[in-house]
């Protein structure tokens, strides 16, 4: 996740304020994933997405409440930048 965040921030053309907003959002969401005992779920999702990418599998752009998560966007679960 941190590698993908670094990639997003270095390629995104964001201002320092926008970068800070994204870092703060990741920290906040990560604490919620920990609090709700969902770290293993995130690891499984990351594995599935990597497998999809390796096999050129197409998956949805996102739906429902998952598109409000910036972390899930960074992990490429969906294509909706929830900060924008």
């Amino acid at each position: 996740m941190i590698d993908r965040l670094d990639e997003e921030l270095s390629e995104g053309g964001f201002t320092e304020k926008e970068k800070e907003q994204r870092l703060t959002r990741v920290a906040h969401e990560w604490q919620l994933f920990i609090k709700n005992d969902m770290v293993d779920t995130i690891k499984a999702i990351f594995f599935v997405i990597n497998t999809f990418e390796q096999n050129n599998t197409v998956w949805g752009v996102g739906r429902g409440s998952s598109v409000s998560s910036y972390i899930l966007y960074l992990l490429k679960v969906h294509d909706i930048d929830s900060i924008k």
Side-chain angles (χ1 to χ4, degrees):
M1 176 185 59
I2 297 301
D3 290 341
R4 297 219 178 171
L5 176 60
D6 286 341
E7 182 181 314
E8 169 89 355
L9 294 178
S10 65
E11 295 176 3
F14 300 111
T15 66
E16 289 303 313
K17 182 178 178 180
E18 291 169 329
K19 288 179 182 180
E20 183 62 32
Q21 180 183 26
R22 289 165 189 278
L23 290 167
T24 300
R25 178 70 171 265
V26 165
H28 174 73
E29 286 186 23
W30 189 245
Q31 289 303 311
L32 291 173
F33 283 121
I34 291 170
K35 178 182 174 185
N36 291 299
D37 196 26
M38 294 185 69
V39 173
D40 287 341
T41 303
I42 293 300
K43 288 178 182 179
I45 289 170
F46 187 66
F47 173 79
V48 169
I49 296 299
N50 282 338
T51 302
F52 283 169
E53 288 179 330
Q54 290 169 2
N55 293 297
N56 295 317
T57 303
V58 177
W59 64 96
V61 295
R63 71 184 285 275
S65 62
S66 73
V67 298
S68 67
S69 173
Y70 184 60
I71 286 177
L72 294 181
Y73 166 74
L74 290 174
L75 296 178
K76 300 182 181 180
V77 172
H78 58 73
D79 293 335
I80 308 300
D81 182 343
S82 59
I83 293 180
K84 285 184 181 179

